[in-house]
């Protein structure tokens, strides 16, 4: 399908051909949800950990004699029921990541791209280049394009001036095409692709 290309100033810059196999799918929420859960689980640190009975620094001697006190029969003060004791079945350091087939991950990315096109939240820019690293100037440029919450995907290399100017703008993320992912696409309102990014995606899914 043919799609209009704009410049950063909002002027027309011709058209680009978008593949139906990448941008023309009927988005499936179940696949997108699986991918988001996969990414967030992989991102989770999993460094939470509590002390076990063998790690608590308390005496291991018997608390009081076995018989004659009228109280319950206890041994160590490290038991979970006592204040300062260990945690029963507490969290341990582990990875929360799980496997998701490579084909499902690739399909989820295509569905995310298709969802943005279907909701008219996709913009293609001819070149993401800024003359100077001025945030104020780029904010005005984005305002003219109606961008207040967007993910901007450039080519293999991002123009240094553009990257520096954009990094302080809230709700604007800038990534090279290698870093494109489903979670970042869905968490931002608009998706802005450069022509180089479109070409790289076409080549990737060829």
């Amino acid at each position: 399908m043919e799609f209009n290309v704009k410049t950063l100033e909002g002027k027309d810059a011709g058209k680009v051909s978008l593949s139906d196999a990448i941008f023309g799918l009927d988005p499936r929420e179940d696949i997108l949800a699986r991918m988001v859960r996969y990414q967030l689980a992989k991102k989770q640190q999993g460094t939470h950990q509590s002390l076990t009975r063998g790690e608590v620094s308390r005496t291991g001697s018997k608390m009081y004699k076995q018989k004659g006190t009228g109280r319950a029969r206890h041994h160590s003060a490290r038991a979970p029921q006592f204040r300062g004791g260990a945690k029963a079945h507490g969290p341990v350091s582990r990875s929360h990541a799980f496997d998701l087939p490579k084909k499902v991950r690739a399909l989820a990315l295509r569905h995310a791209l298709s969802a943005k096109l279907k909701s008219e939240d996709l913009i293609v820019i001819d070149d993401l280049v800024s003359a100077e690293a001025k945030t104020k100037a780029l904010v005005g440029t984005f305002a003219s394009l109606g961008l207040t919450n967007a993910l901007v995907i450039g080519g293999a290399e991002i123009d240094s001036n553009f990257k520096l100017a954009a990094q302080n703008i809230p709700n604007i993320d800038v990534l090279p095409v290698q870093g494109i992912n489903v979670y970042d696409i869905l968490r931002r309102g608009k998706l802005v692709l450069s022509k180089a990014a479109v070409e790289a995606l076409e080549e990737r899914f060829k």
Side-chain angles (χ1 to χ4, degrees):
M1 71 185 81
E2 294 294 317
F3 194 82
N4 292 327
V5 180
K6 294 184 178 180
T7 64
L8 273 176
E9 292 72 31
K11 299 177 182 178
D12 289 333
K15 293 182 180 293
V16 66
S17 179
L18 299 181
S19 171
D20 288 336
I22 302 174
F23 295 91
L25 302 177
D26 190 20
R28 281 181 51 183
E29 291 184 3
D30 60 320
I31 292 179
L32 295 176
R34 284 179 68 187
M35 187 62 189
V36 169
R37 282 196 297 270
Y38 166 81
Q39 284 189 245
L40 293 180
K42 194 172 182 180
K43 188 179 179 182
Q44 192 169 344
Q45 283 187 326
T47 54
H48 50 345
Q49 183 163 336
S50 61
L51 297 179
T52 64
R53 288 184 66 155
E55 296 167 335
V56 173
S57 180
R58 298 196 75 180
T59 178
S61 63
K62 189 169 175 66
M63 299 177 68
Y64 44 78
K65 64 181 183 177
Q66 178 83 346
K67 303 178 73 67
T69 64
R71 301 174 66 184
R73 297 169 289 186
H74 290 303
H75 173 236
S76 173
R78 300 174 186 167
Q81 65 265 37
F82 296 117
R83 186 181 181 91
K87 176 76 173 177
H89 310 295
V92 294
S93 295
R94 66 186 179 91
S95 170
H96 292 266
F98 57 87
D99 289 332
L100 193 64
K102 188 175 181 179
K103 288 185 178 180
V104 175
R105 285 180 272 152
L107 183 61
L109 180 56
R110 287 190 285 156
H111 276 274
L113 294 169
S114 298
K116 285 300 179 184
L117 180 61
K118 189 172 183 179
S119 62
E120 299 181 352
D121 288 324
L122 177 67
I123 298 174
V124 178
I125 302 293
D126 62 341
D127 202 7
L128 298 173
V129 176
S130 183
E132 52 184 358
K134 295 291 185 182
T135 299
K136 186 176 181 180
L138 195 58
V139 167
T141 300
F142 283 165
S144 65
L145 289 170
L147 299 178
T148 55
N149 188 307
L151 172 65
V152 182
I153 302 294
E157 296 290 336
I158 302 290
D159 178 63
S160 58
N161 285 344
F162 183 86
K163 184 177 181 180
L164 288 171
Q167 67 184 5
N168 285 331
I169 304 176
N171 300 322
I172 298 291
D173 296 330
V174 179
L175 293 173
V177 70
Q178 305 95 299
I180 191 170
N181 64 88
V182 173
Y183 177 65
D184 282 332
I185 290 174
L186 297 180
R187 71 191 286 260
R188 293 300 179 204
K190 298 281 186 181
L191 175 62
V192 181
L193 298 176
S194 68
K195 285 183 70 174
V198 172
E199 292 169 2
L201 288 169
E202 300 270 359
E203 184 66 28
R204 178 174 172 177
F205 291 111
K206 184 179 292 184

